[in-house]
Every structure is written in structure tokens, then in C-alpha cells.
Amino acid sequence: MTGVSGNNRNTPPHWDIALLELWWSCNYGAVLTSFSLHCVLSRQGYRVLLLDHAPMTMASHVNDPGSVFRTFFREEGIESIPISSRRDAERTNRLADTFIAGSDQLWNYKYTHNQDMQYYLDFVDGEKRKIAYATSLGDLPVQPPQDYLDRIPRYLDCFHAISVREGDSVRTLRERYHISATHLVDPVFLTSMEDWNRLTQKASPMPDGMLTYFLDITESYGQACAAISRELALPSAHLLDPSGDMELKKQYFPEGRVHAAATIYEWVRAFQDCKCVITDSFHGTCFAIIFNKPFLCIKNAQRGATRFTSLLKQFGLEDRLIHSHEELPGKIHLLRFMDEDAVSLKKHSLKQRALDWLQTNLSNPVSEETKEKGIRCRQELSCWRPSWKLRLRRRISKLARYCLNEKLQKKIFPIMGKLIPRS
């Protein structure tokens, strides 16, 4: 990764936009979402910096320079700056005029609560432009504490513009926080086919049969997919999520070729080359749509159900959503065709709407009222002090970040979770 550097310490380098995303996550979709938004903004002529601030539970990925994800960003020459403290975050105000909270589940308390209000851009100066692009609240399976909820509307009120990824989130923000938001598609739909083709050219051809990509695979799913592969008379290939017990996951697929550690290039190429897709992944569904592949999507409720229903409703593809592997046999016919013309028209329309929204809100000046709200909010909440639990977790996290022994890290975090509750 590229860090910030300069010959003159008094004149730090400057970017047009600082982008805060979940690209540190051990997940193909999160990485490609960040890549896409970075790519789109760069093509519009902006110089973009990624803020590299992984939460405490992801410390091992920060210390793993060989991961397929960080290798990808390094190979693509995307600039980033490491942030390991509150002071580091506040210093980024010198580096950019516009800050964007990107897409994916940045506002899902379940995943990002350890960062407190960082993903609401609480560290950004009041006079800066703050934008949220297709950010997701998730299904909020974990109820945030009241003091957390009380601060959310104050930070959101300081944004220049807010868009969300799910339609339900528009209503949630309006009814719960009295905040207006626009419903826009995930950044992966904004990336041009030229850019996707540029990535896939860096990978060898992948199997052209049935492709599966599961985040939460079980033996039953593997057996069901094998039966469908035989029914369709197509060879099968299986992409594995790069977390958990990989050897156990491999055993769930009795047939077909298993890709246990695909690079980003290979992952995208697999969707481009296949004939059809079965997945329980939101972004797996997105890439099936991007490449016009017939697909079936199994609703993954434990990772957030509303994002699936919202996405498929936008494209008129609700009939491709199922609730379990038991429904797969009755939907096989949908893996044989896709109305490419109708889907392409939807993609073009949704993409253009999102690009227009971005361009408008990046070019329009921030109102004096919004600036004043931001300055006042920073002043009023600067005296807020995190609970002792959160402060202690952060201290332990910081120590663990610099520990190169991954086995020790894996022992520290479970113990920390039991001794120091999150609330």
C-alpha cells in the first residue's frame, strides 16, 4: 500500500477526496466496492486517497501484506494512508477537502461499532464537504446503545449529501432521524466494462460452466449444487470465501473445481466466463447482474436480508431470490436464461442516476448552514468521552496490531470480547 509522504513536512500532499470504506475486510465484495468507487471518482478527474483504518478485530489483515486484497490495491497503484489513532484520523483534514463515507455496511452497528462514530465522519472538520455514497445500515440485528443512537442524527445532519444502498434505509433515516437520503446502487454498477475487462485480462480463463460463490456454505448446499450441475449438464466451479476453515469448505463440494484462494482478478473473471451463478452473496449477485449471467440468489439473512430484496427489486429480478437450498430444484429453469436487454436498460438507468448524483454533489458548494452545523457539532461533541470499555478495547487492539504473531492475535480477541463487553 502507498503511504503519504512528502519532501517538505510543512506542505503535505493533497488529494481531492478522502474515501473511507470497508476495503480492509476479508471479503471480495467489500474490496471491489471500494475499488469501484475509487475508479469512478478517478475517471471523473479527482485524485482519491483511501483511508486505511481497520478495526481492532481485523488487525491480522492489517499485518498481512501478502493477502490477496492488499496485494490487489498495491498492484493497482491505489494510494492510501494508514490510520492507527484518533489523532491520525483528524490529521487527514489537512489532506483533502471532501470526505466520502463509501458503500457497503458502514453504518451497520453490528460490524463497525468498535470504531464508534468514525464511519459517520466524526473526525472531519465542520467546513469540509461530507458525502455518504450508497451506505448501508444493514438490518440492525444488534441494538445500539441509546447514547450511540442519540449522536447519529447530529452527525448525519452535517453531511452535504446522503445516499443509501437499500430502499428501506431511506425510510429508516427519515422516520428515525428525520434525515433525507437518496436510494442509489452499489458502486460496482458504476464501473465501466472497460475497467472490468482490464482486470480480467490479468487472469487466466476460468471454467465456463456453473459457478457458485457462498459466504456461508454447508454440506447440503454443496450436494444441491452438484445435482443442479448434473441436471444442467454443465461442469461446476466453486469460489470460496477466504475466511474460516478452507479445508472443511472444500469437502462440501463433491464435484467440480474448487478455487480456495482466488485473486481479485480471478474472482471477477470467474463471473465473466461462467454460464450461470448460484450464490448467497450480495456482491456475488451484483456481479452476476453486471455480466448478464442467469443466477439464483439464496437470501443470506444472517448477513442482512433487506439488501437482497432491495437490489433485486431495482432490477425486476425478485423471482430469482430463494430462501434455502431446498428451493433450488424448482428454480433450475431460471439458470437457463436472462432477459439481457431488460437488465441492461435498468443498469444503464441506475448507473446514470448515480453518476449524476455524485457529480452534482461534488460540484455544488457546501451551504453555510451545513458548515455551521458541522463546526457546532464538532465543538459540542468534542467533550464526549468513550466508555471505559471502549477505551480499554482500543488500547488492547493497538497493542495487538503491532503483534506479528497471528496465533496470539486469535487468542487475544476472543478473550477481550468476553472480559470487555461491547456495549
Side-chain angles (χ1 to χ4, degrees):
M1 300 302 293
T2 305
V4 172
S5 62
N7 295 327
N8 189 339
R9 292 185 179 181
N10 296 320
T11 57
H14 198 81
W15 285 262
D16 300 306
I17 298 171
L19 182 59
L20 185 63
E21 292 246 29
L22 296 180
W23 62 271
W24 44 261
S25 176
C26 189
N27 179 277
Y28 290 102
V31 172
L32 287 167
T33 291
S34 301
F35 165 79
S36 296
L37 190 52
H38 184 283
C39 190
V40 168
L41 293 170
S42 297
R43 279 192 171 272
Q44 291 181 351
Y46 298 102
R47 189 180 177 200
V48 186
L49 173 70
L50 289 185
L51 302 183
D52 184 3
H53 197 337
M56 64 180 80
T57 52
M58 302 300 292
S60 61
H61 300 302
V62 174
N63 290 329
D64 180 13
S67 72
V68 295
F69 307 116
R70 290 175 179 274
T71 297
F72 169 71
F73 279 105
R74 187 168 60 249
E75 290 175 349
E76 291 300 307
I78 294 176
E79 297 175 296
S80 74
I81 179 173
I83 298 174
S84 59
S85 68
R86 176 74 184 188
R87 183 176 297 179
D88 286 345
E90 291 178 343
R91 284 172 177 166
T92 61
N93 283 285
R94 298 181 300 170
L95 305 178
D97 300 316
T98 296
F99 288 75
I100 296 181
S103 192
D104 221 343
Q105 302 197 59
L106 270 69
W107 292 346
N108 188 336
Y109 182 78
K110 174 183 177 182
Y111 296 124
T112 60
H113 66 275
N114 282 329
Q115 297 302 86
D116 196 49
M117 311 304 289
Q118 173 185 288
Y119 290 106
Y120 293 92
L121 302 183
D122 68 330
F123 60 90
V124 178
D125 290 342
E127 65 272 15
K128 300 287 186 178
R129 186 196 311 270
K130 291 183 280 189
I131 294 175
Y133 180 80
T135 307
S136 175
L137 279 69
D139 290 342
L140 291 178
V142 179
Q143 181 63 28
Q146 191 58 46
D147 73 315
Y148 186 94
L149 292 172
D150 290 343
R151 283 179 286 144
I152 289 177
R154 304 184 72 180
Y155 284 118
L156 293 182
D157 202 34
C158 302
F159 274 71
H160 176 64
I162 295 174
S163 62
V164 289
R165 197 176 64 182
E166 287 81 45
D168 288 349
S169 295
V170 175
R171 184 174 64 254
T172 299
L173 290 179
R174 182 179 65 248
E175 295 177 353
R176 185 178 296 175
Y177 306 123
H178 306 292
I179 298 293
S180 297
T182 302
H183 182 200
L184 297 177
V185 289
D186 191 279
V188 295
F189 290 105
L190 309 187
T191 305
S192 67
M193 289 307 299
E194 178 183 350
D195 283 318
W196 291 133
N197 290 335
R198 179 175 61 80
L199 294 188
T200 58
Q201 288 172 3
K202 298 180 181 181
S204 301
M206 299 291 278
D208 62 352
M210 185 185 84
L211 177 69
T212 74
Y213 176 57
F214 290 102
L215 297 178
D216 299 293
I217 184 64
T218 66
E219 185 175 4
S220 299
Y221 280 23
Q223 292 174 348
C225 289
I228 291 176
S229 175
R230 292 191 295 269
E231 176 73 18
L232 295 173
L234 289 174
S236 60
H238 312 286
L239 295 172
L240 297 186
D241 176 57
S243 61
D245 190 335
M246 302 294 278
E247 293 303 317
L248 178 62
K249 290 181 180 180
K250 291 178 184 179
Q251 296 175 16
Y252 290 153
F253 294 103
E255 301 175 12
R257 180 178 173 186
V258 177
H259 298 271
T263 64
I264 294 291
Y265 307 108
E266 292 169 338
W267 193 92
V268 178
R269 178 94 191 225
F271 282 89
Q272 185 182 60
D273 290 353
C274 71
K275 290 285 196 307
C276 61
V277 176
I278 301 176
T279 184
D280 71 341
S281 158
F282 174 82
H283 283 103
T285 304
C286 289
F287 277 87
I289 295 173
I290 288 170
F291 290 113
N292 292 318
K293 304 298 181 179
F295 70 90
L296 286 174
C297 171
I298 301 173
K299 183 188 291 187
N300 194 330
Q302 70 184 58
R303 292 177 183 257
T306 58
R307 56 188 186 151
F308 292 98
T309 54
S310 182
L311 171 68
L312 296 178
K313 185 177 181 179
Q314 285 178 295
F315 287 93
L317 297 171
E318 297 97 320
D319 58 336
R320 295 179 179 272
L321 183 64
I322 59 179
H323 294 83
S324 74
H325 68 278
E326 296 174 350
E327 298 179 45
L328 286 172
K331 296 273 190 173
I332 290 181
H333 62 285
L334 293 177
L335 293 174
R336 293 190 169 99
F337 77 97
M338 171 81 91
D339 189 343
E340 295 186 18
D341 291 338
V343 172
S344 294
L345 284 173
K346 282 284 188 181
K347 279 188 291 188
H348 177 76
S349 174
L350 293 168
K351 175 180 178 178
Q352 194 57 53
R353 180 169 180 261
L355 291 174
D356 290 345
W357 185 91
L358 264 176
Q359 189 58 47
T360 296
N361 288 295
L362 285 171
S363 57
N364 287 347
V366 181
S367 69
E368 290 302 318
E369 180 184 4
T370 301
K371 289 182 181 180
E372 290 175 5
K373 287 179 181 178
I375 294 171
R376 188 165 57 250
C377 184
R378 284 293 305 274
Q379 291 173 343
E380 292 175 354
L381 297 176
S382 61
C383 61
W384 179 86
R385 185 171 173 77
S387 68
W388 70 268
K389 296 176 183 178
L390 183 57
R391 297 200 306 273
L392 184 54
R393 288 174 67 87
R394 285 176 175 172
R395 285 182 177 273
I396 296 175
S397 166
K398 194 167 184 179
L399 290 173
R401 257 174 214 257
Y402 298 101
C403 174
L404 298 179
N405 188 327
E406 188 169 343
K407 290 183 179 180
L408 183 56
Q409 287 178 348
K410 290 180 178 179
K411 292 180 180 178
I412 288 175
F413 293 124
I415 295 173
M416 181 170 64
K418 293 178 180 179
L419 296 179
I420 314 169
R422 293 171 175 167
S423 59

